[in-house]
Amino acid sequence: MAETEVAQVRFGIVGCANIARKVARAINLASNSILHAIASRSIDKAKRFASDNGLDPRVKIYGSYDQLLDDPSVDAVYMPLPTSLHVHWAVMAAQKGKHVLIEKPTALDVGELDTILEACQSNGLQFMDGSMWLHHPRTVKMKEMLFDSKLLGDVNYIYSTSTTSASPEFFENDIRVKGNLDSLGALGDLGWYCLGAVLWAKNYQLPTVVTALPDVTTNSDGVIVSFSASIQYKEPSSSGATTNAIIYCSFLADTSMDLTITGSKGSLNLNDFIIPQRESSASFEFTLGAKLVDLHIGWNVKPERVVVNCDELPQEGLMVEEFTRIVAGIRTTPGVLPDPKWPEISRKTQMLVDAVKKSVDLGCKPVYF
């Protein structure tokens, strides 16, 4: 690589899943990282990935994951592997001294995730999951308004969806509906976003009780393909209000990515919270002090549309930049430690995934924290 690239964090991508195309682009767009190597269990598949995505010919191509992890020039890995493989390969990456950016869901359960986090922590390595929406400037702006006591007030209600109408080919071939590869199905793939959004809106406070609703649909492999869940915070806020949340996630419904947060003074709403409809800008609606006018024939206010530009980098590029900023600090500055914020977010999200799964397995009975 060129001398100007020496200071950049050198990434290896372990696995050539479709989402890896997006992150490979993000790695090359970010200012402080470069794609150094890719690996697949098939050298032909790795070569095809490199060709199809126009990768720099200097990118190393490996026909096994072990070969990439043994490359001393790789500083960090991105892992878009089936969830059932995460614990093995993420731990191995940490043991080889690689920082870990892993696709969600992070693991099949919190026990597996704890094994990964312990491997990263004991080796002084940064861990982060691939929840890109958390890094978008719109998310930052929403959080500023969400926690301004003069605006939204106490959060009373959260509603979130993540749905997609999957094709017959998806149900036949995709790893996300294969019990031996990704047994969490829609709960892990889509529910991760909605459960994460509930935690985000509550400043990562864990709920009191989680209950899967009795509309769970599974395939012949026993994998969840559609579900709803209730998340309740029964400890009252300063105003005496509790918080209830409902999420709906499905491979059987038309595309939706809704997030609505209703507070004691106002509400916030958007319908593309996971992936903005446009890469360069995103928006949300905020309503403050809404009431019905006389005779209830309308509202006294209209929602305010807040537009947030994202001109420099898409959200996945901002995710990579944040991750590599931390990694670079650890590598170059004595005494700098991994940022515990990101592992904590992942672990709490995984805890809620586990709670929904346990509720499903118990016949939709409540699971208490």
Side-chain angles (χ1 to χ4, degrees):
M1 299 296 178
E3 290 184 7
T4 56
E5 296 167 351
V6 172
Q8 293 179 307
V9 173
R10 295 162 295 192
F11 265 94
I13 294 181
V14 181
C16 295
N18 191 50
I19 187 64
R21 298 170 57 232
K22 185 175 186 177
V23 177
R25 171 178 176 257
I27 290 168
N28 287 328
L29 284 174
S31 62
N32 51 359
S33 61
I34 190 165
L35 183 56
H36 175 80
I38 60 170
S40 174
R41 289 174 295 176
S42 161
I43 188 68
D44 291 336
K45 184 176 181 180
K47 288 179 178 178
R48 189 163 57 251
F49 180 91
S51 175
D52 290 348
N53 292 283
L55 299 186
D56 190 309
R58 295 173 294 176
V59 173
K60 293 186 177 182
I61 300 173
Y62 293 115
S64 77
Y65 303 152
D66 292 286
Q67 287 178 312
L68 186 147
L69 296 182
D70 285 333
D71 185 338
S73 295
V74 173
D75 302 308
V77 293
Y78 167 64
M79 288 190 169
L81 298 173
T83 309
S84 60
L85 302 181
H86 282 188
V87 65
H88 174 81
W89 289 108
V91 168
M92 186 170 291
Q95 291 171 342
K96 299 283 187 177
K98 318 299 184 188
H99 300 267
V100 177
L101 175 61
I102 200 165
E103 199 46 63
K104 32 61 57 184
T106 55
L108 293 177
D109 57 51
V110 77
E112 285 193 356
L113 177 57
D114 282 345
T115 301
I116 296 171
L117 296 182
E118 170 58 30
C120 290
Q121 184 177 12
S122 62
N123 288 284
L125 301 166
Q126 184 63 46
F127 175 92
M128 182 184 288
D129 76 57
S131 298
M132 301 171 186
W133 76 276
L134 291 174
H135 303 269
H136 198 286
R138 173 177 64 180
T139 307
V140 176
K141 180 64 176 177
M142 289 193 299
K143 193 144 198 176
E144 289 175 0
M145 298 181 72
L146 183 60
F147 293 105
D148 184 337
S149 60
K150 297 178 181 178
L151 295 177
L152 196 82
D154 294 323
V155 173
N156 302 129
Y157 179 69
I158 305 161
Y159 173 72
S160 184
T161 71
S162 180
T163 63
T164 182
S165 183
S167 67
E169 290 77 19
F170 175 93
F171 288 111
E172 184 68 27
N173 301 312
D174 199 277
I175 63 170
R176 287 167 286 183
V177 292
K178 301 294 183 183
N180 62 328
L181 294 175
D182 202 336
S183 59
L184 294 173
L187 171 56
D189 185 49
L190 305 177
W192 187 272
Y193 293 116
C194 296
L195 292 167
V198 172
L199 285 168
W200 172 83
K202 291 294 292 181
N203 206 22
Y204 293 98
Q205 175 189 349
L206 288 171
T208 309
V209 60
V210 171
T211 311
L213 302 181
D215 63 344
V216 180
T217 303
T218 60
N219 65 7
S220 59
D221 223 7
V223 175
I224 296 170
V225 296
S226 184
F227 77 98
S228 300
S230 165
I231 301 96
Q232 294 178 292
Y233 291 80
K234 293 191 174 182
E235 183 177 340
S237 64
S238 58
S239 66
T242 57
T243 303
N244 293 306
I246 296 290
I247 67 167
Y248 172 59
C249 305
S250 178
F251 292 140
L252 304 173
D254 193 41
T255 300
S256 71
M257 300 178 180
D258 298 338
L259 178 59
T260 296
I261 303 169
T262 303
S264 56
K265 299 178 182 178
S267 61
L268 181 154
N269 181 70
L270 61 160
N271 58 12
D272 61 348
F273 86 96
I274 301 168
I275 301 174
Q277 293 170 355
R278 290 177 176 79
E279 188 174 73
S280 60
S281 68
S283 65
F284 62 95
E285 290 188 343
F286 183 79
T287 307
L288 181 64
K291 297 183 184 300
L292 298 179
V293 299
D294 189 32
L295 299 182
H296 290 191
I297 57 174
W299 291 34
N300 65 329
V301 294
K302 291 183 179 180
E304 175 190 353
R305 184 169 178 261
V306 180
V307 179
V308 181
N309 292 325
C310 192
D311 298 326
E312 295 184 8
L313 283 174
Q315 61 182 11
E316 60 271 19
L318 293 169
M319 175 186 72
V320 169
E321 283 219 331
E322 172 65 7
F323 179 76
T324 50
R325 179 192 64 79
I326 301 167
V327 170
I330 296 169
R331 290 172 59 212
T332 61
T333 308
V336 172
L337 300 175
D339 187 344
K341 166 186 172 181
W342 299 108
E344 181 182 359
I345 288 173
S346 299
R347 192 176 191 278
K348 287 184 174 180
T349 308
Q350 187 76 54
M351 289 174 70
L352 262 64
V353 170
D354 288 10
V356 175
K357 181 66 165 60
K358 184 177 180 179
S359 179
V360 170
D361 293 343
L362 292 173
C364 299
K365 293 183 177 179
V367 173
Y368 292 87
F369 281 84

